Amino acid sequence: MSNLQKLSLGYFAALMIAASLNYIPGLTDENGLAFGIFELDIYDDALHVASALWALAAGLLSYRAARTFLILFGLAYLGDGIFGFFTGYGFLDLGIFTNPSAGLDFSLLRVLANLPHLGLGGLAVWAGFRSAPA
């Protein structure tokens, strides 16, 4: 099993944890914010589960499938995180279509809210492109 396949399986675990955050007592506050920072709804949960299943399949299938997953997933999530700075919402969960733009903001809460997608997406893109076959 290649390192990219192992990384894809790690993404499976991380994304399943993200999908479960709303269902673990004590992780959301009285306003429904996970860790008091961001709100996760059924669309976010569905996105995380679908991404996790894609990561699992890619990790189990092959090096090429894992690399493809990491690049495409990474670009989508990295873009979603960057987009979050401009609107306050992402495009992957359709938030930009259901909420008015909150405008460009680099406040601590906005950074923390977008950091998971920036981190996961950035690492995935880096790993996928770094491992280009010879």
Side-chain angles (χ1 to χ4, degrees), residues 9-125:
L9 295 177
Y11 271 79
F12 165 72
L15 290 162
M16 288 304 290
I17 290 169
S20 69
L21 289 177
N22 276 344
Y23 311 102
I24 300 173
L27 293 185
T28 55
D29 64 13
E30 62 278 353
N31 298 320
L33 300 175
F35 307 111
I37 301 171
F38 47 83
E39 181 180 4
L40 295 170
D41 58 24
I42 191 69
Y43 301 110
D44 296 307
D45 295 339
L47 172 67
H48 290 134
V49 170
S51 298
L53 293 175
W54 182 21
L56 177 64
L60 294 176
L61 282 173
S62 67
Y63 166 86
R64 183 176 177 190
R67 183 170 184 264
T68 300
F69 160 75
L70 289 168
I71 291 170
L72 295 178
F73 166 88
L75 290 172
Y77 271 64
L78 183 60
D80 192 64
I82 292 169
F83 204 80
F85 285 113
F86 290 95
T87 66
Y89 303 98
F91 57 81
L92 290 175
D93 66 353
L94 307 178
I96 61 169
F97 301 110
T98 59
N99 301 293
S101 175
L104 180 64
D105 184 1
F106 291 103
S107 67
L108 179 60
L109 283 180
R110 183 79 64 91
V111 170
L112 292 175
N114 289 291
L115 196 59
H117 281 208
L118 293 171
L120 287 172
L123 176 62
V125 167

